[in-house]
Protein backbone atom coordinates (compact mmCIF):
# COMPACT_ATOMS: atom_id res chain seq x y z
CA UNK A 1 0.00 0.00 0.00
CA UNK A 2 1.33 3.43 -0.97
CA UNK A 3 1.37 5.98 1.86
CA UNK A 4 0.23 9.44 0.80
CA UNK A 5 2.11 12.39 2.33
CA UNK A 6 0.97 16.01 2.64
CA UNK A 7 3.66 18.60 3.37
CA UNK A 8 2.72 21.62 5.51
CA UNK A 9 5.27 24.43 5.56
CA UNK A 10 7.27 24.69 2.33
CA UNK A 11 10.29 26.66 3.56
CA UNK A 12 13.95 25.78 3.18
CA UNK A 13 14.02 22.89 5.64
CA UNK A 14 11.19 21.06 3.87
CA UNK A 15 13.41 20.35 0.87
CA UNK A 16 15.60 18.02 2.93
CA UNK A 17 12.52 16.15 4.17
CA UNK A 18 11.15 15.68 0.65
CA UNK A 19 14.48 14.52 -0.77
CA UNK A 20 14.47 11.72 1.80
CA UNK A 21 10.82 10.84 1.24
CA UNK A 22 11.36 10.46 -2.50
CA UNK A 23 13.93 7.74 -1.82
CA UNK A 24 11.47 5.57 0.13
CA UNK A 25 9.39 2.92 -1.60
CA UNK A 26 5.60 2.96 -1.33
CA UNK A 27 5.44 6.68 -0.53
CA UNK A 28 3.78 9.39 -2.64
CA UNK A 29 3.82 13.17 -2.14
CA UNK A 30 0.23 14.25 -2.77
CA UNK A 31 -0.03 17.79 -1.40
CA UNK A 32 1.81 20.98 -0.50
CA UNK A 33 0.47 23.63 1.88
CA UNK A 34 1.96 26.98 2.84
CA UNK A 35 0.59 30.39 3.80
CA UNK A 36 2.57 31.64 0.79
CA UNK A 37 1.06 30.02 -2.28
CA UNK A 38 4.24 30.59 -4.29
CA UNK A 39 6.25 28.54 -1.76
CA UNK A 40 3.83 25.62 -2.06
CA UNK A 41 3.88 25.88 -5.85
CA UNK A 42 7.68 25.84 -5.89
CA UNK A 43 7.86 22.65 -3.81
CA UNK A 44 5.17 21.06 -5.98
CA UNK A 45 7.21 21.79 -9.11
CA UNK A 46 10.29 20.23 -7.53
CA UNK A 47 8.74 17.18 -5.90
CA UNK A 48 5.07 16.88 -6.78
CA UNK A 49 3.34 14.13 -8.67
CA UNK A 50 0.77 14.92 -11.33
CA UNK A 51 -2.42 16.20 -9.72
CA UNK A 52 -0.83 17.04 -6.35
CA UNK A 53 -2.85 19.42 -4.18
CA UNK A 54 -1.34 22.90 -3.79
CA UNK A 55 -3.09 25.17 -1.31
CA UNK A 56 -2.85 27.80 1.43
CA UNK A 57 -5.73 26.23 3.40
CA UNK A 58 -4.83 23.15 5.44
CA UNK A 59 -8.36 21.91 6.09
CA UNK A 60 -9.22 22.10 2.41
CA UNK A 61 -5.99 20.33 1.43
CA UNK A 62 -6.58 17.54 3.96
CA UNK A 63 -10.10 16.99 2.64
CA UNK A 64 -8.96 16.98 -0.98
CA UNK A 65 -5.69 15.01 -0.77
CA UNK A 66 -6.82 12.52 1.90
CA UNK A 67 -3.22 11.89 3.08
CA UNK A 68 -2.08 9.12 5.40
CA UNK A 69 0.79 11.20 6.80
CA UNK A 70 1.38 14.91 7.37
CA UNK A 71 4.91 16.28 7.39
CA UNK A 72 4.75 19.43 9.55
CA UNK A 73 7.62 21.76 8.63
CA UNK A 74 5.76 24.88 9.73
CA UNK A 75 7.01 27.43 12.28
CA UNK A 76 6.85 26.34 15.97
CA UNK A 77 3.74 28.45 16.69
CA UNK A 78 1.86 26.58 13.95
CA UNK A 79 2.68 23.05 15.14
CA UNK A 80 -0.31 23.03 17.50
CA UNK A 81 -3.09 23.82 14.97
CA UNK A 82 -1.44 21.82 12.16
CA UNK A 83 -1.02 18.69 14.28
CA UNK A 84 -4.52 18.81 15.75
CA UNK A 85 -6.06 19.29 12.29
CA UNK A 86 -4.03 16.43 10.82
CA UNK A 87 -4.89 14.06 13.66
CA UNK A 88 -8.57 14.98 13.39
CA UNK A 89 -8.42 13.91 9.74
CA UNK A 90 -6.96 10.53 10.71
CA UNK A 91 -3.36 11.28 9.69
CA UNK A 92 -0.10 10.26 11.30
CA UNK A 93 2.16 13.29 11.90
CA UNK A 94 5.90 13.80 11.81
CA UNK A 95 6.73 17.35 12.89
CA UNK A 96 9.74 19.61 13.13
CA UNK A 97 11.16 20.37 16.56
CA UNK A 98 10.10 21.67 18.98
CA UNK A 99 7.00 19.58 19.60
CA UNK A 100 5.01 22.72 20.51
CA UNK A 101 5.37 26.37 21.41
CA UNK A 102 4.01 25.82 24.94
CA UNK A 103 3.86 22.87 27.30
CA UNK A 104 0.06 23.12 27.54
CA UNK A 105 -0.20 22.85 23.76
CA UNK A 106 2.20 19.91 23.82
CA UNK A 107 0.07 18.06 26.37
CA UNK A 108 -3.04 18.61 24.26
CA UNK A 109 -1.27 17.40 21.12
CA UNK A 110 -0.01 14.24 22.84
CA UNK A 111 -3.50 13.52 24.17
CA UNK A 112 -5.00 14.05 20.71
CA UNK A 113 -2.55 11.61 19.13
CA UNK A 114 -3.32 8.98 21.76
CA UNK A 115 -7.07 9.50 21.37
CA UNK A 116 -6.81 9.22 17.57
CA UNK A 117 -4.61 6.13 17.76
CA UNK A 118 -2.12 7.76 15.39
CA UNK A 119 1.65 8.25 15.52
CA UNK A 120 2.92 11.73 16.26
CA UNK A 121 6.71 11.98 16.34
CA UNK A 122 9.23 14.83 16.33
CA UNK A 123 12.35 15.52 14.25
CA UNK A 124 15.10 14.88 16.81
CA UNK A 125 17.75 13.97 14.25
CA UNK A 126 20.71 13.93 16.67
CA UNK A 127 19.57 10.57 18.05
CA UNK A 128 20.51 8.94 14.76
CA UNK A 129 24.20 9.90 14.84
CA UNK A 130 26.33 6.76 14.42
CA UNK A 131 28.91 7.91 16.97
CA UNK A 132 26.21 8.67 19.53
CA UNK A 133 24.82 5.17 18.96
CA UNK A 134 28.23 3.68 19.74
CA UNK A 135 28.43 5.77 22.93
CA UNK A 136 24.96 4.72 24.04
CA UNK A 137 25.74 1.06 23.33
CA UNK A 138 28.86 1.28 25.52
CA UNK A 139 26.84 2.88 28.34
CA UNK A 140 24.01 0.34 28.07
CA UNK A 141 26.56 -2.47 28.29
CA UNK A 142 27.48 -1.21 31.77
CA UNK A 143 31.12 -0.51 30.92
CA UNK A 144 31.11 2.75 32.88
CA UNK A 145 29.22 1.28 35.83
CA UNK A 146 26.36 3.34 37.27
CA UNK A 147 26.25 6.79 35.71
CA UNK A 148 26.66 9.67 38.17
CA UNK A 149 27.38 12.76 36.07
CA UNK A 150 26.91 13.99 32.50
CA UNK A 151 28.27 17.33 31.28
CA UNK A 152 27.65 18.91 27.88
CA UNK A 153 29.15 22.07 26.39
CA UNK A 154 27.72 23.88 23.36
CA UNK A 155 29.63 26.99 22.26
CA UNK A 156 29.13 28.47 18.80
CA UNK A 157 29.33 32.11 17.68
CA UNK A 158 26.33 32.07 15.34
CA UNK A 159 25.63 35.31 13.41
CA UNK A 160 22.17 34.43 12.14
CA UNK A 161 20.62 37.84 11.65
CA UNK A 162 16.84 38.01 11.50
CA UNK A 163 14.40 36.89 14.18
CA UNK A 164 16.92 35.01 16.35
CA UNK A 165 18.80 38.22 17.08
CA UNK A 166 15.83 39.57 19.04
CA UNK A 167 13.96 36.49 20.31
CA UNK A 168 13.85 35.80 24.07
CA UNK A 169 15.64 32.73 25.42
CA UNK A 170 17.19 32.24 21.98
CA UNK A 171 19.64 29.51 23.01
CA UNK A 172 17.26 27.50 25.19
CA UNK A 173 14.27 27.79 22.86
CA UNK A 174 15.99 27.47 19.51
CA UNK A 175 18.82 25.00 20.10
CA UNK A 176 19.02 23.43 23.55
CA UNK A 177 16.24 20.91 22.85
CA UNK A 178 18.68 18.87 20.74
CA UNK A 179 21.31 18.66 23.48
CA UNK A 180 18.83 18.07 26.29
CA UNK A 181 17.18 15.26 24.33
CA UNK A 182 20.55 13.57 23.82
CA UNK A 183 21.19 13.80 27.58
CA UNK A 184 17.95 11.91 28.24
CA UNK A 185 18.81 9.42 25.50
CA UNK A 186 22.24 8.45 26.82
CA UNK A 187 21.36 8.60 30.52
CA UNK A 188 18.22 6.43 30.20
CA UNK A 189 16.67 8.81 32.73
CA UNK A 190 13.95 11.44 32.98
CA UNK A 191 14.38 15.00 34.31
CA UNK A 192 13.30 15.79 37.87
CA UNK A 193 14.33 19.39 38.56
CA UNK A 194 16.55 22.17 37.18
CA UNK A 195 18.32 25.35 38.19
CA UNK A 196 19.23 27.60 35.26
CA UNK A 197 21.08 30.89 34.84
CA UNK A 198 20.71 32.88 31.59
CA UNK A 199 22.64 36.00 30.62
CA UNK A 200 23.79 38.05 27.65
CA UNK A 201 27.59 38.37 27.66
CA UNK A 202 29.42 41.59 26.88
CA UNK A 203 29.96 41.91 23.15
CA UNK A 204 26.89 39.84 22.31
CA UNK A 205 25.13 40.72 19.05
CA UNK A 206 21.85 39.34 20.44
CA UNK A 207 19.25 41.62 22.04
CA UNK A 208 18.32 39.05 24.70
CA UNK A 209 20.09 36.37 26.77
CA UNK A 210 22.17 34.15 24.47
CA UNK A 211 24.10 32.13 27.08
CA UNK A 212 22.92 29.68 29.73
CA UNK A 213 24.04 27.17 32.32
CA UNK A 214 21.56 24.62 33.66
CA UNK A 215 21.92 21.90 36.30
CA UNK A 216 19.39 19.07 36.01
CA UNK A 217 18.66 16.39 38.57
CA UNK A 218 17.64 13.21 36.76
CA UNK A 219 15.41 10.32 37.86
CA UNK A 220 18.27 7.88 38.48
CA UNK A 221 20.11 10.27 40.82
CA UNK A 222 22.43 11.44 38.06
CA UNK A 223 23.27 15.14 37.71
CA UNK A 224 23.41 16.59 34.19
CA UNK A 225 24.85 20.01 33.41
CA UNK A 226 24.23 21.99 30.24
CA UNK A 227 26.51 24.90 29.38
CA UNK A 228 26.06 26.83 26.18
CA UNK A 229 26.23 30.05 24.22
CA UNK A 230 25.23 31.32 20.77
CA UNK A 231 27.77 34.15 20.99
CA UNK A 232 31.08 32.45 21.86
CA UNK A 233 33.70 33.47 19.30
CA UNK A 234 36.56 31.05 18.60
CA UNK A 235 37.17 27.37 19.34
CA UNK A 236 33.57 26.30 18.62
CA UNK A 237 32.21 22.96 19.70
CA UNK A 238 30.39 20.84 17.17
CA UNK A 239 26.64 21.36 16.70
CA UNK A 240 26.20 18.11 18.65
CA UNK A 241 28.08 19.59 21.67
CA UNK A 242 31.05 18.26 23.63
CA UNK A 243 30.29 15.55 26.20
CA UNK A 244 31.74 13.93 29.35
CA UNK A 245 29.93 10.96 30.88
CA UNK A 246 31.12 9.75 34.30
CA UNK A 247 30.19 6.47 35.95
CA UNK A 248 31.28 4.53 39.01
CA UNK A 249 33.68 2.44 36.91
CA UNK A 250 34.95 4.88 34.31
CA UNK A 251 34.51 7.92 32.07
CA UNK A 252 33.70 8.45 28.40
CA UNK A 253 33.99 11.58 26.26
CA UNK A 254 32.53 12.51 22.88
CA UNK A 255 33.33 15.64 20.91
CA UNK A 256 30.11 15.48 18.92
CA UNK A 257 31.95 14.27 15.83
CA UNK A 258 34.14 11.17 15.52
CA UNK A 259 36.13 11.76 18.72
CA UNK A 260 35.16 9.02 21.17
CA UNK A 261 37.31 8.03 24.16
CA UNK A 262 36.77 6.02 27.33
CA UNK A 263 38.75 4.68 30.26
CA UNK A 264 37.47 2.16 32.79
CA UNK A 265 38.82 1.01 36.14
CA UNK A 266 41.01 -2.07 35.88
CA UNK A 267 42.02 -2.12 39.54
CA UNK A 268 41.34 0.21 42.48
CA UNK A 269 44.75 -0.02 44.16
CA UNK A 270 46.06 3.27 45.41
CA UNK A 271 45.70 7.02 45.24
CA UNK A 272 44.73 6.71 41.59
CA UNK A 273 42.99 3.62 40.30
CA UNK A 274 44.58 1.69 37.49
CA UNK A 275 42.57 2.35 34.34
CA UNK A 276 42.61 1.03 30.82
CA UNK A 277 41.39 2.44 27.53
CA UNK A 278 38.02 1.04 26.51
CA UNK A 279 37.17 0.36 22.89
CA UNK A 280 33.75 1.41 21.64
CA UNK A 281 31.63 -1.27 19.98
CA UNK A 282 30.98 -1.07 16.26
CA UNK A 283 27.22 -0.90 15.82
CA UNK A 284 25.19 -1.53 12.69
CA UNK A 285 22.49 1.12 12.65
CA UNK A 286 19.01 0.14 11.50
CA UNK A 287 18.38 3.56 9.97
CA UNK A 288 20.47 6.27 8.24
CA UNK A 289 21.90 9.24 10.13
CA UNK A 290 20.24 12.59 10.68
CA UNK A 291 16.93 13.65 9.18
CA UNK A 292 16.88 10.58 6.94
CA UNK A 293 16.96 8.29 9.96
CA UNK A 294 13.97 9.96 11.62
CA UNK A 295 11.91 9.88 8.41
CA UNK A 296 12.82 6.30 7.48
CA UNK A 297 11.98 5.05 10.96
CA UNK A 298 8.70 6.96 11.04
CA UNK A 299 7.55 5.54 7.69
CA UNK A 300 8.56 2.04 8.78
CA UNK A 301 6.59 2.40 12.02
CA UNK A 302 3.47 3.56 10.16
CA UNK A 303 3.80 0.48 7.95
CA UNK A 304 4.53 -2.03 10.73
CA UNK A 305 2.79 -0.64 13.81
CA UNK A 306 6.06 -0.16 15.68
CA UNK A 307 6.73 2.98 17.73
CA UNK A 308 9.43 5.50 16.65
CA UNK A 309 11.95 6.54 19.28
CA UNK A 310 11.03 10.21 18.88
CA UNK A 311 7.34 9.58 19.60
CA UNK A 312 5.56 12.52 21.22
CA UNK A 313 4.91 10.80 24.57
CA UNK A 314 8.69 10.57 25.01
CA UNK A 315 9.74 13.82 23.33
CA UNK A 316 7.50 15.94 25.55
CA UNK A 317 9.92 15.16 28.39
CA UNK A 318 12.76 16.87 26.50
CA UNK A 319 10.52 19.84 25.73
CA UNK A 320 9.62 20.04 29.43
CA UNK A 321 13.33 20.39 30.21
CA UNK A 322 13.49 23.47 27.98
CA UNK A 323 10.49 25.19 29.52
CA UNK A 324 11.56 24.32 33.07
CA UNK A 325 15.01 25.78 32.42
CA UNK A 326 13.41 28.98 31.11
CA UNK A 327 11.12 29.19 34.14
CA UNK A 328 14.06 28.69 36.49
CA UNK A 329 16.08 31.39 34.71
CA UNK A 330 13.18 33.83 34.91
CA UNK A 331 12.45 33.13 38.59
CA UNK A 332 16.02 32.64 39.74
CA UNK A 333 15.20 29.46 41.68
CA UNK A 334 15.24 25.70 41.03
CA UNK A 335 11.99 24.33 39.60
CA UNK A 336 10.52 20.87 39.08
CA UNK A 337 10.35 19.49 35.54
CA UNK A 338 6.79 18.39 34.75
CA UNK A 339 5.13 17.24 31.55
Amino acid sequence: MTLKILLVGCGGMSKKWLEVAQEIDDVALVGFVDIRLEAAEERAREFGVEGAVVDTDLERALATAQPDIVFDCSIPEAHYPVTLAALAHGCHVLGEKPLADTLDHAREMVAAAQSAGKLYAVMQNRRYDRHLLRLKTLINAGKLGTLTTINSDFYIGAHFGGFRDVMPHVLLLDMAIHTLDVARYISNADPVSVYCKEWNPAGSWYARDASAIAIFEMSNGLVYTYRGSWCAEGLPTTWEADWRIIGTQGTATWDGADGLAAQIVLKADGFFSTVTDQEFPMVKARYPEGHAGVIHEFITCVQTGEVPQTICVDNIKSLAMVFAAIESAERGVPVDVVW
Side-chain angles (χ1 to χ4, degrees):
M1 174 183 135
T2 298
L3 294 171
K4 297 184 294 182
I5 297 177
L6 175 73
L7 170 70
V8 182
C10 298
M13 184 57 70
S14 68
K15 186 172 182 177
K16 181 179 293 188
W17 286 51
L18 298 181
E19 288 171 346
V20 174
Q22 280 201 325
E23 299 171 352
I24 302 175
D25 294 334
D26 301 322
V27 162
L29 303 171
V30 299
F32 303 84
V33 178
D34 197 281
I35 58 173
R36 294 171 54 246
L37 183 60
E38 60 271 26
E41 290 173 336
E42 180 181 351
R43 285 291 174 260
R45 282 193 297 270
E46 288 181 287
F47 298 97
V49 296
E50 187 175 348
V53 173
V54 179
D55 211 327
T56 58
D57 187 280
L58 175 58
E59 289 286 351
R60 187 167 58 213
L62 287 166
T64 304
Q66 292 294 304
D68 303 294
I69 295 170
V70 167
F71 281 177
D72 180 12
C73 293
S74 64
I75 62 173
E77 292 78 12
H79 293 175
Y80 172 72
V82 168
T83 299
L84 292 185
L87 291 170
H89 276 262
C91 302
H92 302 281
V93 182
L94 178 61
E96 257 296 349
K97 63 84 183 171
L99 190 157
D101 58 337
T102 72
L103 206 50
D104 284 340
H105 281 169
R107 295 183 184 113
E108 190 174 343
M109 293 156 73
V110 170
Q114 292 176 313
S115 177
K118 298 296 179 180
L119 296 180
Y120 172 38
V122 181
M123 180 57 76
Q124 295 287 178
N125 50 299
R126 264 67 172 182
R127 286 196 178 208
Y128 297 77
D129 185 286
R130 66 184 185 277
H131 303 298
L132 177 59
L133 183 57
R134 294 179 68 196
L135 174 60
K136 182 173 173 61
T137 301
L138 178 84
I139 292 169
N140 286 351
K143 296 296 185 180
L144 302 182
T146 300
L147 298 189
T148 64
T149 310
I150 295 179
N151 300 327
S152 66
D153 287 333
F154 176 87
Y155 289 101
I156 290 178
H159 295 259
F160 290 108
F163 72 91
R164 288 183 180 88
D165 283 3
V166 296
M167 73 179 288
H169 312 292
V170 59
L171 177 70
L172 293 177
L173 273 177
D174 192 53
M175 189 63 199
I177 183 69
H178 285 301
T179 314
L180 303 184
D181 186 70
V182 168
R184 287 188 51 245
Y185 179 61
I186 61 178
S187 68
N188 299 306
D190 292 330
V192 176
S193 64
V194 60
Y195 174 71
C196 181
K197 166 68 176 178
E198 272 187 308
W199 73 101
N200 207 23
S204 171
W205 49 95
Y206 293 87
R208 310 289 286 272
D209 292 341
S211 297
I213 294 177
I215 304 171
F216 289 90
E217 179 187 353
M218 306 298 285
S219 59
N220 56 3
L222 175 148
V223 172
Y224 162 58
T225 66
Y226 171 87
R227 303 190 301 182
S229 178
W230 265 140
C231 56
E233 298 283 41
L235 297 177
T237 64
T238 64
W239 289 86
E240 280 65 42
D242 190 85
W243 295 81
R244 177 174 288 264
I245 302 94
I246 304 169
T248 55
Q249 294 298 312
T251 294
T253 60
W254 179 44
D255 66 0
D258 57 2
L260 286 165
Q263 290 186 331
I264 61 172
V265 174
L266 194 62
K267 186 178 181 182
D269 59 351
F271 187 76
F272 290 116
S273 296
T274 302
V275 297
T276 184
D277 292 339
Q278 173 65 47
E279 293 293 324
F280 286 77
M282 298 303 298
V283 180
K284 182 175 176 58
R286 184 179 178 185
Y287 299 104
E289 288 192 288
H291 284 71
V294 184
I295 294 169
H296 274 267
E297 183 182 37
F298 185 79
I299 297 298
T300 297
C301 289
V302 171
Q303 293 168 330
T304 64
E306 298 175 76
V307 177
Q309 63 176 298
T310 62
I311 192 72
C312 60
V313 292
D314 179 78
N315 191 253
I316 193 174
K317 299 175 184 178
S318 298
L319 185 67
M321 293 175 77
V322 173
F323 285 118
I326 290 172
E327 181 186 351
S328 175
E330 290 178 339
R331 295 174 53 194
V333 297
V335 301
D336 292 336
V337 183
V338 294
W339 54 87

